[in-house]
Amino acid sequence: MKTKLIHSLLSPLLVAGLLLAPLPGLSGHAAAASVTTKATAAAQQLQVIVDGKKISLSAAAYAENGVTYVPMRDIFKALGASVTWESKTQTIIARKGYLSISLQVGKKTAVINGKTVKLDAPALIRKGVTFVPARFIAESLNATVKWDKAASAVRITSQEAAENAEYEEWLESQNNLPTLTSKEIVDKFDESVVLIMTNKAQGSGVVIGENLILTNYHVIADAASATALTINGKQLTIAGVVKYDEDADLAIVRTGGAIGIAPVTLGYGLNSYKGGKVVAIGSPLGLQNTVSDGLISNITYEDGIRYIQTSAPIDHGSSGGALFNEFGDLVGITTLGYSGTSADLNFAVSVIHAASLNSEITDKDVEDARFLPSSLPATLVGAPLTDIEKLLKDHYGLLSTTEGEAAFTKWTAKRDSSGWLVLTAEIDPLFYMYYGAASAQELRLWAINLGHEFHEMLPDEKIQVLINYEREYGFEPRGFAPGEVTSLGGDKWQVRFPVIDMQLKNELFIKVRV
C-alpha cells in the first residue's frame, strides 16, 4: 500500500537540459565501432533492466551517437504507461497518470503536458520497429536511469519502485522505535490537549502551533465565541477559525495570544495499524483531559475520509481530542462514538487529513482568523411563519444518529389560540419503529438543541415542538390511547401519536416516547 503521495513533474527546462543527456558509458561504446555495422553488432548486447528485471524486447536495443534506443512499446509498457501509435503522422502518444508525452518520428522535439521540449535524438523507425531514446522516455515518466558498464545494461528505476523502496526502508526503521507506556504518553502530551468551550457546546482540542489548536469542525462550526482551557488552568481566548475541512470534520483555530505549550507534531499516522495500542486524551462530559486506552479496532474509509476505529472509550466532549499510538505519534482526532453498546465503538479522523489541512495554511489565513457565519439567523422576531417553516425544513430535516439517519418531514409552524408557537413534523416511521428505542437519547438531545436555538432566536415566545409518528395500516392496530388510531375507511387505519413533546419558555419540559 502506498503511503506517500508524491506528484513530481520535471519542468520543460529541466527536461531539455538534463533528461536528454547521453547515458554515461554509452557514447564510448558507440565510438568504439568504426562503421555502422560494427556498432549495430555491439549494440545487440545491450540489456534494458527496469526495476531490477531484464525486460524482453521485441527488437534489440542499440546505441548510436551516444543515445540508447529501445523499442517504443516495450519501454512504455515496462514503465506502466499506455501508448498509441498514429501511423498516418508517425506520432507516438503515451499517457501515465497526469503525464502526457508525444513525439514524432524524425522530429527533434517532444511535447510533455502541452510543453514543447527539444530532443538530442528523435524517435526513428528501423527495420519496421519504432525506437525511442531510452533516457528521455524514462526520465519523462519520473524514472531514474543509470548505465551499468559491467553488465552493458541500462538500469531504469520507476517512480513507484523508488517510493516502495523508500517505504520499505521506512518500515524497517520503525521496527527499532521504542514503545511508550500510557503514562509516558500522558506525561509527554497531557499539557498539549485543551478543553474548548464555545457559546454553543464543549469539546476538546490539540495544540499544534504557537497559537494554533486543532479540533473538530462540529465543535466550532456555529460558535460566535470560544475559549481554550489548559490543564494548568490557563484560559485562552479563541480569535476565530484559520482553516477548516467540513467533510473531514476538522478545523484549526487561532488563539488571541501565544499558548506557551509545546505543540504536537502533525505527521501522517503511518504507524496506525489494526491491533495497535492507542491512548485517547480529551474532555468527555467536561471532565478535562481524561485519559483512556484501547486498541485500533479497525481502519475504515467513508467518502474519501480515513477513520480509525478504536476501543479507547470516549464520550460527548471528547470531540477534537487526541488519539496517540504506542510510539507517541498523534494518529487521529477523536470524533464520534456509538452509544448504547458495550463494544466501545469509537472513531477518530486520521491525522493525515489534519496534516494536509495544516499544510494549506498561509500567514494571511492566520491573521484573518474569524468565526464562521452561523447557519442560523440571529433572530426570528417578526419573521413570517413561512420563513420559520423553511428554516425548520432546511436546518432540522435530518439527524445523523449512531443507528442511521432520521428524517423529519412535513414541518409546520403555527400559533394556537393560547399564543404558543407550535412546531410540528413527522419522523420517518420505519426509522422510529426499528431504531427509536436505541436512538432515544440522541432524539432527546436533538430536540433540546432545537429548543435552545429557537429560544435564542425567539426569547419571548412560548414554544412547543411536536414530532409525530404517523403511518397507515391495513388493519386496526390495538393497544393505543384513544384518538391515536383513526379509521380512514376501506379497511385503512391511521396511527398517529407524538414521539417527542418539548415545551419551553424560561424552563424546558421534554418527553420522548419509545
Side-chain angles (χ1 to χ4, degrees):
M1 175 178 126
K2 294 181 184 176
T3 58
K4 297 184 69 179
L5 305 177
I6 301 174
H7 300 289
S8 58
L9 177 61
L10 297 175
S11 70
L13 289 177
L14 183 59
V15 172
L18 299 178
L19 299 187
L20 308 184
L23 285 168
L26 294 188
S27 108
H29 182 89
S34 57
V35 293
T36 302
T37 54
K38 289 183 180 180
T40 302
Q44 288 176 344
Q45 304 302 314
L46 288 177
Q47 301 181 75
V48 180
I49 300 171
V50 177
D51 295 338
K53 296 181 180 179
K54 179 182 176 181
I55 64 173
S56 177
L57 299 175
S58 56
Y62 69 93
E64 188 172 271
N65 297 325
V67 177
T68 300
Y69 287 91
V70 291
M72 167 192 74
R73 295 191 183 278
D74 298 337
I75 187 65
F76 281 118
K77 180 181 178 182
L79 290 171
S82 63
V83 62
T84 301
W85 166 252
E86 293 187 355
S87 58
K88 187 175 182 181
T89 60
Q90 292 192 326
T91 300
I92 303 161
I93 301 173
R95 293 183 178 84
K96 182 179 181 181
Y98 60 89
L99 277 171
S100 174
I101 304 168
S102 65
L103 58 162
Q104 194 172 7
V105 169
K107 200 169 182 179
K108 283 194 173 184
T109 59
V111 178
I112 300 178
N113 282 0
K115 302 287 186 180
T116 300
V117 297
K118 292 182 179 180
L119 300 176
D120 281 349
L124 50 82
I125 297 176
R126 187 169 186 161
K127 296 182 180 181
V129 178
T130 304
F131 286 85
V132 291
R135 179 179 289 275
F136 169 75
I137 297 303
E139 293 188 340
S140 294
L141 294 172
N142 296 322
T144 58
V145 184
K146 292 183 179 179
W147 168 246
D148 185 341
K149 183 178 179 180
S152 190
V154 179
R155 294 189 179 272
I156 300 173
T157 303
S158 67
Q159 180 181 3
E160 295 84 355
E163 290 175 8
N164 286 336
E166 185 179 354
Y167 178 55
E168 291 298 329
E169 184 179 347
W170 177 86
L171 282 179
E172 183 64 29
S173 70
Q174 301 310 294
N175 293 331
N176 300 319
L177 284 178
T179 58
L180 305 179
T181 65
S182 296
K183 183 179 184 304
E184 288 172 331
I185 291 173
V186 172
D187 289 344
K188 187 174 181 180
F189 297 112
D190 203 16
E191 286 187 348
S192 302
V193 180
V194 299
L195 181 150
I196 294 178
M197 183 66 69
T198 78
N199 62 311
K200 293 284 188 179
Q202 176 263 313
S204 305
V206 183
V207 176
I208 61 169
E210 179 184 2
N211 58 353
L212 298 178
I213 296 173
L214 173 66
T215 186
N216 281 137
Y217 172 82
H218 74 261
V219 170
I220 205 77
D222 283 320
S225 63
T227 57
L229 182 66
T230 73
I231 196 171
N232 298 321
K234 185 177 181 180
Q235 187 167 304
L236 300 152
T237 300
I238 293 175
V241 178
V242 174
K243 206 83 172 176
Y244 66 91
D245 182 344
E246 187 172 358
D247 292 334
D249 194 16
L250 294 172
I252 296 173
V253 300
R254 174 174 69 82
T255 56
I259 301 173
I261 291 174
V264 175
T265 301
L266 290 182
Y268 290 95
L270 302 181
N271 263 332
S272 51
Y273 53 89
K274 192 171 181 178
K277 294 180 180 180
V278 286
V279 172
I281 305 177
S283 300
L285 304 179
L287 298 172
Q288 189 171 7
N289 285 44
T290 295
V291 176
S292 59
D293 63 2
L295 301 176
I296 294 179
S297 309
N298 210 345
I299 295 177
T300 61
Y301 293 83
E302 184 175 335
D303 297 328
I305 307 301
R306 188 175 193 254
Y307 291 95
I308 298 173
Q309 181 185 333
T310 176
S311 61
I314 62 174
D315 208 327
H316 298 286
S318 295
S319 294
L323 187 69
F324 297 99
N325 67 8
E326 59 189 329
F327 306 108
D329 299 326
L330 180 69
V331 296
I333 305 302
T334 51
T335 300
L336 61 93
Y338 283 79
S339 59
T341 174
S342 59
D344 284 326
L345 304 177
N346 304 304
F347 294 84
V349 178
S350 172
V351 73
I352 190 172
H353 301 291
S356 176
L357 185 66
N358 188 52
S359 70
E360 298 172 1
I361 292 177
T362 65
D363 291 341
K364 192 173 188 307
D365 291 331
V366 176
E367 182 182 348
D368 294 344
R370 299 286 185 276
F371 285 97
L372 303 176
S374 175
S375 56
L376 296 172
T379 181
L380 285 174
V381 175
L385 295 177
T386 52
D387 287 0
I388 295 176
E389 288 178 351
K390 185 177 186 308
L391 177 65
L392 289 164
K393 179 181 177 181
D394 294 344
H395 198 78
Y396 300 98
L398 200 65
L399 171 64
S400 293
T401 76
T402 52
E403 303 297 335
E405 292 187 335
F408 303 96
T409 59
K410 299 182 181 179
W411 280 103
T412 63
K414 296 180 180 178
R415 284 190 172 84
D416 64 16
S417 58
S418 300
W420 283 73
L421 175 63
V422 182
L423 312 175
T424 63
E426 293 180 11
I427 189 172
D428 177 356
L430 292 180
F431 177 89
Y432 177 74
M433 284 194 300
Y434 289 121
Y435 307 115
S439 303
Q441 181 62 13
E442 290 168 286
L443 291 171
R444 181 186 301 273
L445 291 173
W446 171 83
I448 291 172
N449 183 64
L450 186 158
H452 172 74
E453 292 175 342
F454 262 78
H455 179 66
E456 286 192 338
M457 293 182 285
L458 295 167
D460 298 324
E461 293 269 12
K462 292 180 290 185
I463 300 172
Q464 182 177 24
V465 177
L466 289 171
I467 306 298
N468 296 305
Y469 170 91
E470 182 177 305
R471 194 180 187 196
E472 292 184 9
Y473 291 86
F475 60 93
E476 182 179 4
R478 300 188 297 176
F480 289 88
E484 292 183 346
V485 178
T486 304
S487 174
L488 301 176
D491 290 329
K492 295 290 183 181
W493 300 82
Q494 182 187 72
V495 174
R496 181 181 173 86
F497 58 84
V499 172
I500 298 173
D501 182 358
M502 186 194 67
Q503 305 167 31
L504 79 156
K505 187 182 178 186
N506 297 326
E507 292 82 32
L508 179 144
F509 165 82
I510 184 169
K511 179 171 63 176
V512 178
R513 178 171 171 177
V514 294

